[in-house]
Amino acid sequence: MESKASRRKVALITGGSRGIGAATALLAAAQGWDVLISYQSQQAAAEAVVAQARALGANAHAVQADVGEEAQVLKLFGALDERFDSLDALVNNAGVVDVAQTVAEYSLQRLERMFRVNTVGAFVCAREAVLRMSIRRGGRGGAIVNVSSIAARLGAPGQYVDYAASKGAVDVLTLGLAKEVAAEGIRVNAVRPGLIETDIHASGGQPDRVQRLAPNIPMQRGGTAQEVADAIVWLMGDGSHYTTGSLIEISGGNL
Ligand code: NAP
């Protein structure tokens, strides 16, 4: 029988097809994790990440699932249950921005999408993870890492206050859930990235955002997805075993 010491740990990373999620999946795979990634629409990108993770020795799979739809989240966790016999880490990474607007300009459709994907999606995924990880429910414990943003403390005025607020709620989810499940063997932490070079800025209509704002960052540059992944994978693993309820800025001093 497989001993616990030799068991490969399993991580579910939402939005693992690109950016911070892809970097996290590959770093985790390189450190001996098996990975299930989800994606929204970029199947080819997701499959490329899976191929790279397998080349690193991981049992890796990708599943299309909109985290803003409960039925699709349940499908994602159903796929997890079929392919793996445990869940050791959930990374709530999938997230969206929108074009720069003031609060006075927001449509209800914009607000509902922002909170459905960034906030409700994180809650529903966290719920499903707790049901599988909790030692009170027969699980082995585990770690949840939420990907928030420094926008949650800065507010993002004139850009996307809605995005900042959706991440502020993720911070509170992190604090509250960490205390709620600490005695059930589950740690819950968040990273708050600053300006990171990924496709997300182009999706908000500002492809040059990192370069434009880099001079305002104390370290004078944007960060890389890899630099955020370093912190996420640390929070996923045993090296952070007394850390829970923490919100960690990965922002080059942009606070
Ligand atoms: P990205 O490069 O745009 O990648 C976004 C990922 O999320 C993709 O894998 C995408 O899937 C997936 N996704 C988007 N909407 C989804 C949905 N409804 N359901 C499931 N998956 C969905 O973004 P990123 O910069 O890596 O961002 C990752 C996280 O970091 C987000 O939560 C973001 O808010 C946060 N963050 C980023 C920055 C930054 O400067 N980049 C700063 C602070 C926080 P597809 O590939 O299929 O589209």
Side-chain angles (χ1 to χ4, degrees):
M1 206 172 80
E2 192 186 23
S3 72
K4 188 169 180 186
S6 65
R7 186 177 67 83
R8 288 178 67 89
K9 289 191 169 185
V10 178
L12 169 51
I13 299 157
T14 65
S17 47
R18 292 184 290 129
I20 293 167
T24 300
L26 294 178
L27 182 61
Q31 294 189 10
W33 290 77
D34 289 335
V35 292
L36 177 63
I37 64 168
S38 74
Y39 63 97
Q40 161 81 318
S41 60
Q42 302 290 314
Q43 184 179 5
E47 285 174 358
V49 172
V50 165
Q52 290 176 71
R54 286 178 180 163
L56 291 164
N59 180 9
H61 297 277
V63 174
Q64 191 283 329
D66 181 345
V67 297
E69 298 288 340
E70 184 183 35
Q72 295 194 31
V73 173
L74 295 178
K75 179 186 80 170
L76 173 63
F77 278 82
L80 171 84
D81 295 338
E82 272 172 28
R83 294 185 170 102
F84 299 96
D85 55 14
S86 69
L87 176 64
D88 301 284
L90 164 69
V91 182
N92 266 323
N93 167 75
V96 291
V97 294
D98 211 320
V99 295
Q101 285 185 332
T102 62
V103 172
E105 296 172 298
Y106 292 164
S107 67
L108 182 62
Q109 187 186 27
R110 170 181 171 133
L111 288 169
E112 287 182 343
R113 168 179 173 264
M114 190 71 72
F115 282 88
R116 195 165 40 76
V117 174
N118 292 359
T119 308
V120 178
F123 267 87
V124 176
C125 289
R127 180 191 74 198
E128 292 304 309
V130 167
L131 290 172
R132 287 160 178 79
M133 290 174 175
S134 168
I135 56 176
R136 286 202 188 134
R137 298 172 187 271
R140 295 172 164 136
I144 297 174
V145 183
N146 296 322
V147 182
S148 174
S149 170
I150 58 160
R153 54 187 296 167
L154 298 176
Q159 297 275 309
Y160 23 68
V161 175
D162 53 349
Y163 171 82
S166 75
K167 294 296 189 179
V170 167
D171 288 353
V172 178
L173 164 64
T174 305
L175 295 172
L177 183 60
K179 294 174 183 174
E180 195 169 290
V181 296
E184 299 179 43
I186 305 172
R187 297 180 300 105
V188 187
N189 294 285
V191 293
R192 295 205 280 199
L195 280 164
I196 309 300
E197 291 161 3
T198 72
D199 298 342
I200 203 168
H201 308 288
S203 73
Q206 302 185 62
D208 65 339
R209 188 160 186 266
V210 177
Q211 292 73 12
R212 187 163 38 87
L213 298 176
N216 303 331
I217 300 169
M219 287 180 75
Q220 300 283 296
R221 66 171 178 87
T224 65
Q226 182 71 40
E227 288 171 320
V228 183
D230 285 335
I232 294 173
V233 174
W234 176 70
L235 288 169
M236 285 164 50
D238 290 340
S240 59
H241 43 63
Y242 197 57
T243 302
T244 197
S246 295
L247 312 173
I248 300 179
E249 271 78 8
I250 317 290
S251 65
N254 189 12
L255 302 171

